[in-house]
């Protein structure tokens, strides 16, 4: 459920075509799985650095810095291929998608400043179930009863982590949930905008995000010191590499094969949270994460079985 981009491991300039997924050989599938695991590590690293930066800089500014570094990476990677990026015919939807991307980043990082990274990551993983529901409602995707049940079970896992009505509940836990909502809308729009091509969509998303966050950052600006800038560089590069490895992986095999391995990001986030912040997840976080991951894996296996049957 991610944007499909050109395979960066191939030689030659980037193009606007995605590599077909069907009929992947075993070694390509294994490489894609390893890239997915690596992508999860990069995402967790970027989120950890964002949480560290949130202790000294406003959340909006931290998000802006991540977008700026990410856009620098995009310009370097695509080089001259960006010349035709403005020829898209779907400007309104591209702008909406960029706004959703910016809001998803802000709400997720805001959640990181109050909630441990493992819990924040686990809550945000309700997004596959939100995407499934939106795809069924707005794109008329066929979703069977068992997958709907799996989605409800997965959302229940999120409630185990948030624990509403108990002393462990934090209102800030809603921020990663909002991030998942905005991110899900962004993915649905990605499918709608598939004719524009992945390069244009990635470019527009970055530009719109940078413009919006630049305006918002103006009102909360705190001049970063050298340490902040180094952290921002690591955060942005980690996010860019996460996108790049994820895009490459999904260009090599079917999403239904890779989806179960994306949940290893919760493990990476837990380990980094313990190493950097000394934050050990509670048993309810482990239980909720297991429920979310189990439901997601089941949904991916059902999707794979349905695609083979079709």
């Amino acid at each position: 459920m991610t944007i499909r981009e050109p395979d960066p491991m191939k030689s030659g300039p980037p193009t606007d075509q995605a590599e077909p997924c069907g009929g992947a050989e075993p070694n390509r599938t294994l490489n894609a799985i390893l890239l997915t695991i690596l992508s999860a590590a990069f995402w967790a690293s970027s989120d950890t650095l964002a949480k560290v930066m949130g202790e000294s800089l406003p959340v909006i500014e931290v998000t802006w810095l991540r977008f700026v570094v990410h856009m620098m990476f995009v310009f370097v990677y695509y080089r001259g291929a960006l010349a035709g990026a403005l020829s898209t015919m779907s400007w309104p939807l591209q702008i909406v998608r960029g706004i959703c991307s910016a809001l998803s980043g802000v709400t997720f990082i805001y959640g990181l400043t109050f909630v441990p990274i493992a819990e924040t990551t686990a809550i945000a993983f309700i997004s596959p179930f939100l995407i499934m529901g939106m795809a069924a409602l707005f794109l008329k995707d066929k979703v069977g009863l068992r997958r709907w049940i799996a989605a409800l079970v997965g959302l229940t896992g999120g409630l185990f982590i948030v624990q509403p009505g108990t002393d462990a509940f934090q209102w800030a836990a809603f921020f990663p949930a909002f991030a998942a909502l905005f991110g899900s809308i962004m993915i649905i729009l990605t499918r709608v905008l598939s004719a524009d091509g992945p390069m244009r969509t990635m470019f527009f998303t970055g530009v719109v995000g940078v413009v919006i966050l630049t305006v918002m950052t103006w009102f909360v600006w705190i001049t970063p010191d050298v340490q902040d800038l180094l952290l921002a560089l690591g955060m942005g590069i980690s996010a860019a590499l996460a996108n790049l490895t994820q895009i490459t992986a999904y260009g090599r095999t079917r999403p239904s094969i890779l989806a179960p391995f994306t949940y290893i990001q919760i493990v990476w986030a837990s380990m980094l949270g313990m190493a950097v912040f000394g934050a050990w997840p509670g048993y309810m976080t482990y239980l909720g994460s297991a429920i979310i991951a189990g439901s997601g894996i089941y949904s991916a296996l059902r999707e794979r079985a349905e695609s083979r049957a079709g």
Side-chain angles (χ1 to χ4, degrees):
M1 297 182 185
T2 57
I3 306 171
R4 301 260 312 277
E5 297 274 359
D7 187 347
M9 302 301 178
K10 288 189 174 184
S11 58
T15 65
D16 211 25
Q17 300 296 321
E19 189 176 352
C21 289
E25 298 176 359
N27 61 328
R28 290 177 60 81
T29 300
L30 177 60
N31 288 338
I33 291 172
L34 294 176
L35 285 170
T36 300
I37 295 172
L38 185 60
S39 174
F42 281 131
W43 278 125
S45 299
S46 181
D47 294 339
T48 300
L49 292 173
K51 184 175 177 66
V52 173
M53 293 182 65
E55 297 175 356
S56 59
L57 295 176
V59 169
I60 293 174
E61 185 174 346
V62 173
T63 312
W64 174 77
L65 286 167
R66 180 145 88 172
F67 267 77
V68 168
V69 176
H70 184 84
M71 278 304 298
M72 292 169 58
F73 186 94
V74 169
F75 276 110
V76 171
Y77 176 63
Y78 281 114
R79 300 183 296 278
L82 287 171
L86 298 179
S87 61
T88 178
M89 299 299 292
S90 305
W91 282 63
L93 289 180
Q94 290 284 9
I95 292 173
V96 172
R97 188 186 185 281
I99 293 173
C100 287
S101 178
L103 291 175
S104 180
V106 169
T107 50
F108 185 83
I109 294 177
Y110 194 81
L112 282 173
T113 61
F114 294 98
V115 181
I117 184 171
E119 282 85 341
T120 305
T121 302
I123 294 169
F125 263 99
I126 65 173
S127 59
F129 310 113
L130 297 178
I131 293 168
M132 186 187 74
M134 290 181 187
L137 292 174
F138 301 114
L139 303 180
K140 307 304 178 184
D141 281 6
K142 183 180 178 181
V143 179
L145 177 61
R146 283 181 285 186
R147 289 179 64 193
W148 279 116
I149 294 174
L152 291 175
V153 172
L155 294 175
T156 302
L159 293 178
F160 273 94
I161 300 171
V162 176
Q163 300 180 58
T166 70
D167 293 337
F169 173 74
Q170 297 184 61
W171 283 103
F174 282 112
F175 284 103
F178 281 122
L181 175 62
F182 289 126
S184 300
I185 297 173
M186 184 179 69
I187 294 298
I188 295 298
L189 288 175
T190 300
R191 291 182 56 182
V192 174
L193 292 165
S194 58
D196 282 357
M199 183 183 68
R200 293 188 184 93
T201 298
M202 190 171 180
F203 175 76
F204 268 92
T205 297
V207 169
V208 172
V210 168
V211 170
I212 292 173
L213 291 170
T214 297
V215 175
M216 297 171 68
T217 302
W218 178 269
F219 298 98
V220 297
W221 176 260
I222 294 178
T223 302
D225 57 24
V226 175
Q227 180 179 337
D228 291 327
L229 292 176
L230 291 175
L231 288 172
L233 186 62
M235 175 185 63
I237 291 177
S238 293
L241 290 174
N243 270 302
L244 194 57
T245 50
Q246 189 177 55
I247 285 164
T248 306
Y250 278 83
R252 294 189 175 194
T253 192
R254 292 187 300 275
S256 59
I257 293 176
L258 298 178
F261 296 94
T262 61
Y263 291 93
I264 200 171
Q265 185 176 336
I266 300 175
V267 178
W268 287 119
S270 298
M271 291 192 298
L272 287 172
M274 289 185 287
V276 179
F277 306 105
W280 290 78
Y283 71 93
M284 293 299 286
T285 299
Y286 288 118
L287 177 60
S289 300
I291 293 173
I292 292 172
S295 301
I297 291 170
Y298 175 81
S299 295
L301 292 175
R302 286 298 307 168
E303 179 183 344
R304 185 178 181 184
E306 290 168 7
S307 63
R308 285 182 172 179

